[in-house]
Amino acid sequence: SAPRMETQEVSLSCTLLHLFIAFPLTLFHCPPLGLESLRVKDPQLRASSYKRRGLGPHRGRLNIQSGIEDGDIYDGAWCAQYEDKKQWLEVDARRPTRFTGVILQGRSSIWSWDFILTYKVQFSNDTLVWQPAMNGTKEAVFEGNQDTETPVLALFNESATVARYIRINPQSWYENGTICLRAEVLGCTLPDPNNIYAWQQTEQGTKDKLDFRHHNYKEMRKLMKSVTEACPDITHIYSIGKSHMGLKMYVMEISDHPGKHELGEPEFRYVAGMHGNEALGRELLLNLMQYICQEYKLGNQRIVRLVKETRIHLLPSMNPDGYEMAFKKGSELAGWALGRYSYQGIDMNHNFADLNKVMWDAIEFDFQNNDKSKLINHYIPIPEYYTAEDAFVALETRAVINWMQNIPFVLSANLHGGELVVTYPFDRTEDWAPHDDTPTPDNSFFRWLATVYASTNQVMSNPDRRPCHNENFQRYNNIINGANWHTVQGSMNDFSYLHTNCFDVTVELSCDKFPHASELPIEWENNKESLLIYMEQVHRGLKGVIRDKDTEAGIADAIIKVDDIDHHIRSVADGDYWRLLNPGEYEVTVSAEGYNPSTRMCRVMYEHYPTICDFRLTKTPKQRLKEILAKGGKLPKDLQLRLRQLRLRKLRASTKAINSRLPRKRPPTSPPTAAHFSANEESCAAVGKMHSTCSKNIGKMYFSKFLV
């Protein structure tokens, strides 16, 4: 069914009757033909003339975006070569169609200001004889745009013509501009009794029984509740905070033990709706939670394994305020930007702390001062200015950051819309260039992640598809380094990589940011396999538990370093860790405060399950001594001997250094021997204090002199 939409009044010229005014789109139940979504192919679009290839009829699609430079092959509209009333843009529906309306928009350009003020519409079955849309006995003239971006809807009367072809015929245009437009056509295709190949025109869809429609806030909450009622043993709903307007940011958790972190089980998240008008990701996640619930109950082994081995978190709407604004306008009338920003006008994709600068400043400091003490490559702290109460940070962004810090996510994807490509970090260029390849130390694995999604997406992987707007990502196999596309400061992907253990990519799901509800079953089928196989990548690489060798207790905050990859991760509260890696053999070193480092070789296989690589660390003598003295206990003999040896070693070294500075005629001072320390111990034993105060004082003496 069509999404809810406000009644759109269509202003007509003075020659028109009110018959054409105020027809809600939902009354006609006719969806867009698909100029914006590219279901209408380029050969189906013709024009009376066009200025150049970049302004040809194939560019006359609603919301198509131009390139930065005028004159390239990716301009932002169809523009006629001549300025007269005989120009037209023609759409071939390829089937008998009951046309019900047209949506018009001006030219997308940062250099030009072109739009149509009024226009006529004609219909034909053969392109030879044309019938105009009529208003009584006169030809109807429809009012167009007043600016270049706002879509304007015109609906035809109830006796709309059934035809195969439709033409939009501009009658007047902005006086300082020229004839340019972007359009969408509404219509219901009808069976053609003369078509012997009708079986080939079956609409693509899906066999999955899911709720394919756009859900506003209340409907989304209702659907999520219905999933938990259907699968109470594997689902749990929680909120990570509220939007500026007080709407809760709901998350669906899916796991065989929802509500808690399980030792060794990785945490995965999908985030959608960062830009409120990019609605497809929201609906895909709602579909995904329904699908997992249904298939789990049916015993689908792939889904059962995913649920039992992974803790999944789905956030359908990071920007619920923005979505509500776009939803009220409707899928075709929200334009390119309405609802993109938060209620406060913040673009959340630029709103996370810029930790790239902190890291690159530290690298520069190290280069200039040869001081690696300032060099950090993971868990980079958030700058104080960012956490201040008056910082320009959206409530929604703060909520997501707290969520990231509270749950040890391993892998994530951020679902966007408006293009067909998967981008991976870094998203920001180092020198503020508009775009430049800026890879992370884990570039090879990020490229793998992006390829996994793009190569299994039915549209991205189609070699015959055309570019969405002004970039041909097929030449990059539909993946690209984010900064090499366009630089983004403060992205969630970069923040996630530099502040947490989590690897995050951005998936641009479709050319159409807010596809019509009729497109949702097709989009689900396009993305279903990609969504599932991407989640399964959380099990690629290494995993294990880091424990204390003596107590077997898990060690939190241990640093896991992989040789030749300058990015570390850390163990979580129970000592478990996950390190995403491509197949290969790696030298892994684990270190933790108070423990001796441990190194071992770990091999990642090609199978779709992780290699278990556990570590057991031994405490350093210093740490053992600290713990004993803190408890008021006695020193074990092995520790006493170890401290004695270390003390002697230090004394010998210091004596040698002193002697090297003294005149050669002076005999060197004899270093103390073990007998000195034995004598002290014997004195203690003589008074019966060897195992109490006296022994403790000796330990403190060793500790203070050797370990300071």
Side-chain angles (χ1 to χ4, degrees):
S1 60
R4 293 180 182 176
M5 188 174 295
E6 292 179 342
T7 298
Q8 302 295 315
E9 293 201 2
V10 183
S11 300
L12 308 176
S13 68
C14 58
T15 61
L16 289 171
L17 299 176
H18 293 289
L19 179 66
F20 283 89
I21 299 178
F23 284 104
L25 182 60
T26 50
L27 291 181
F28 289 86
H29 298 289
C30 285
L33 294 188
L35 276 76
E36 182 177 12
S37 68
L38 303 185
R39 291 182 73 186
V40 172
K41 307 302 180 185
D42 287 353
Q44 294 175 249
L45 301 174
R46 293 199 312 141
S48 53
S49 65
Y50 54 90
K51 284 189 173 182
R52 59 175 184 271
R53 172 65 179 167
L55 293 169
H58 65 293
R59 303 296 294 175
R61 300 172 181 271
L62 188 71
N63 285 322
I64 202 165
Q65 300 298 296
S66 67
I68 295 176
E69 298 181 5
D70 263 355
D72 65 13
I73 62 172
Y74 299 119
D75 220 317
W78 161 67
C79 291
Q81 183 178 2
Y82 309 107
E83 293 187 14
D84 59 47
K85 296 183 179 182
K86 297 180 180 180
Q87 304 305 306
W88 44 260
L89 176 69
E90 178 184 296
V91 181
D92 177 4
R94 290 186 171 172
R95 294 170 63 178
T97 302
R98 181 164 65 90
F99 294 107
T100 58
V102 168
I103 301 172
L104 224 60
Q105 199 176 32
R107 178 181 177 183
S108 168
S109 173
I110 60 175
W111 309 106
S112 304
W113 188 258
D114 303 310
F115 52 88
I116 301 303
L117 295 174
T118 59
Y119 64 98
K120 297 179 179 180
V121 175
Q122 294 99 31
F123 310 98
S124 176
N125 284 313
D126 56 10
T127 71
L128 299 176
V129 178
W130 290 88
Q131 174 67 39
M134 300 296 291
N135 174 30
T137 59
K138 296 182 179 179
E139 191 170 355
V141 180
F142 300 90
E143 186 168 314
N145 302 99
Q146 296 299 314
D147 59 54
T148 60
E149 288 300 324
T150 306
V152 174
L153 167 68
L155 291 170
F156 310 142
N157 61 20
E158 293 182 357
S159 59
T161 303
V162 173
R164 172 174 169 173
Y165 302 92
I166 182 173
R167 278 182 179 177
I168 301 169
N169 173 213
Q171 296 297 296
S172 62
W173 45 93
Y174 178 58
E175 60 180 352
N176 294 325
T178 188
I179 299 176
C180 295
L181 64 86
R182 293 175 285 170
E184 182 62 86
V185 175
L186 309 179
C188 296
T189 56
L190 304 176
D192 184 356
N194 299 317
N195 184 8
I196 62 173
Y197 302 105
W199 59 273
Q200 293 181 337
Q201 296 180 333
T202 302
E203 292 292 338
Q204 181 185 3
T206 179
K207 296 180 180 179
D208 298 322
K209 305 300 182 183
L210 308 176
D211 189 4
F212 293 116
R213 60 192 175 98
H214 288 292
H215 299 77
N216 64 15
Y217 176 74
K218 291 182 179 179
E219 293 165 342
M220 179 190 74
R221 186 172 58 183
K222 183 178 180 181
L223 184 147
M224 294 176 72
K225 184 179 179 182
S226 71
V227 173
T228 60
E229 291 172 347
C231 294
D233 295 335
I234 63 168
T235 59
H236 168 65
I237 300 175
Y238 64 95
S239 170
I240 62 171
K242 292 184 178 181
S243 69
H244 182 80
M245 296 301 293
L247 302 181
K248 289 185 177 181
M249 300 167 66
Y250 287 112
V251 176
M252 174 66 76
E253 178 192 346
I254 304 175
S255 170
D256 58 340
H257 293 93
K260 66 177 182 179
H261 172 73
E262 295 181 70
L263 185 70
E265 186 168 283
E267 310 261 359
F268 177 92
R269 72 167 182 260
Y270 273 131
V271 176
M274 172 182 281
H275 295 145
N277 62 331
E278 295 169 14
L280 179 56
R282 174 191 182 104
E283 297 307 321
L284 287 177
L285 292 192
L286 295 178
N287 294 153
L288 181 61
M289 61 183 70
Q290 295 173 76
Y291 178 79
I292 292 176
C293 173
Q294 292 176 9
E295 294 299 306
Y296 183 86
K297 292 170 70 175
L298 292 173
N300 182 326
Q301 286 305 299
R302 182 185 189 185
I303 300 302
V304 170
R305 183 170 59 252
L306 192 62
V307 171
K308 288 184 176 295
E309 297 178 357
T310 319
R311 190 180 180 205
I312 303 165
H313 305 258
L314 308 177
L315 174 60
S317 186
M318 181 177 167
N319 181 7
D321 296 347
Y323 176 82
E324 292 300 304
M325 286 189 282
F327 179 85
K328 289 176 181 177
K329 275 291 183 183
S331 58
E332 277 62 58
L333 298 177
W336 190 249
L338 180 65
R340 173 185 177 91
Y341 306 99
S342 73
Y343 189 85
Q344 299 167 283
I346 297 174
D347 187 338
M348 296 181 203
N349 201 36
H350 298 254
N351 197 225
F352 287 79
D354 182 9
L355 302 184
N356 304 61
K357 184 178 187 302
V358 177
M359 177 186 64
W360 288 325
D361 285 350
I363 293 173
E364 181 69 19
F365 182 90
D366 170 53
F367 178 78
Q368 293 178 355
N369 299 278
N370 195 27
D371 179 9
K372 293 187 177 182
S373 64
K374 301 291 184 182
L375 190 59
I376 50 177
N377 66 13
H378 74 294
Y379 272 51
I380 297 176
I382 300 175
E384 290 185 8
Y385 72 84
Y386 185 87
T387 58
E389 290 186 6
D390 59 347
F392 194 57
V393 182
L395 291 175
E396 298 88 342
T397 308
R398 294 184 190 272
V400 169
I401 290 176
N402 289 335
W403 186 38
M404 291 178 173
Q405 293 172 333
N406 291 333
I407 296 178
F409 293 112
V410 178
L411 181 61
S412 173
N414 184 14
L415 307 183
H416 285 242
E419 258 299 350
L420 278 167
V421 68
V422 183
T423 73
Y424 52 90
F426 287 120
D427 288 333
R428 188 199 139 174
T429 57
E430 187 172 353
D431 58 359
W432 296 103
H435 57 87
D436 189 30
D437 189 32
T438 311
T440 68
D442 286 286
N443 190 57
S444 63
F445 192 80
F446 272 117
R447 287 181 59 83
W448 165 258
L449 289 173
T451 300
V452 163
Y453 199 103
S455 63
T456 54
N457 181 280
Q458 293 187 10
V459 180
M460 291 187 199
S461 59
N462 181 0
D464 298 323
R465 76 171 181 89
R466 57 151 286 170
C468 289
H469 298 284
N470 50 54
E471 294 273 4
N472 183 6
F473 290 112
Q474 284 182 289
R475 57 182 175 167
Y476 308 118
N477 293 319
N478 304 298
I479 69 170
I480 192 171
N481 172 258
N484 203 23
W485 182 14
H486 59 269
T487 188
V488 175
Q489 180 184 10
S491 77
M492 186 166 79
N493 293 357
D494 288 2
F495 178 86
S496 180
Y497 182 69
L498 295 175
H499 186 65
T500 74
N501 288 337
C502 188
F503 287 27
D504 211 336
V505 304
T506 291
V507 182
E508 299 283 351
L509 294 164
S510 69
C511 302
D512 189 348
K513 286 187 174 184
F514 202 139
H516 189 267
S518 62
E519 302 272 358
L520 295 179
I522 301 170
E523 293 293 358
W524 164 250
E525 205 61 34
N526 289 340
N527 287 276
K528 178 173 68 174
E529 177 61 22
S530 304
L531 291 166
L532 294 174
I533 199 170
Y534 185 83
M535 284 194 288
E536 291 169 341
Q537 303 313 301
V538 77
H539 296 287
R540 183 176 290 276
L542 301 176
K543 81 170 186 177
V545 182
I546 301 168
R547 302 182 188 274
D548 185 300
K549 186 177 181 180
D550 297 325
T551 66
E552 289 296 313
I555 301 173
D557 264 346
I559 298 174
I560 296 92
K561 175 184 177 182
V562 177
D563 194 34
D564 296 331
I565 300 180
D566 191 22
H567 181 80
H568 310 334
I569 63 162
R570 299 197 185 191
S571 60
V572 299
D574 297 325
D576 43 347
Y577 78 95
W578 306 263
R579 184 50 165 105
L580 299 176
L581 292 166
N582 283 323
E585 193 167 5
Y586 300 91
E587 182 181 287
V588 182
T589 300
V590 173
S591 60
E593 186 176 357
Y595 290 88
N596 294 308
S598 176
T599 300
R600 61 176 292 191
M601 299 301 295
C602 302
R603 176 173 292 180
V604 177
M605 309 302 288
Y606 284 89
E607 288 79 4
H608 290 288
Y609 54 82
T611 298
I612 297 176
C613 201
D614 294 328
F615 289 82
R616 282 170 171 75
L617 305 185
T618 57
K619 290 187 176 72
T620 62
K622 177 179 178 179
Q623 181 65 24
R624 292 178 64 193
L625 183 58
K626 276 184 177 181
E627 294 177 359
I628 291 170
L629 296 178
K631 296 177 181 179
K634 62 181 181 180
L635 299 179
K637 289 185 178 180
D638 66 321
L639 185 56
Q640 292 181 38
L641 179 61
R642 177 66 176 156
L643 289 171
R644 189 179 301 133
Q645 292 171 344
L646 291 171
R647 179 62 177 163
L648 285 173
R649 189 183 304 164
K650 185 175 181 181
L651 286 174
R652 289 191 185 104
S654 61
T655 301
K656 185 177 181 180
I658 293 172
N659 289 341
S660 66
R661 294 195 297 268
L662 293 176
R664 293 191 177 186
K665 292 183 178 181
R666 291 187 60 184
T669 304
S670 300
T673 64
H676 291 80
F677 302 101
S678 299
N680 286 331
E681 294 175 3
E682 291 170 2
S683 299
C684 289
V687 293
K689 297 181 179 180
M690 182 58 201
H691 300 297
S692 57
T693 308
C694 190
S695 176
K696 193 182 301 181
N697 290 338
I698 292 175
K700 289 181 177 178
M701 176 183 72
Y702 293 160
F703 180 64
S704 61
K705 291 185 178 180
F706 169 66
L707 299 171
V708 170

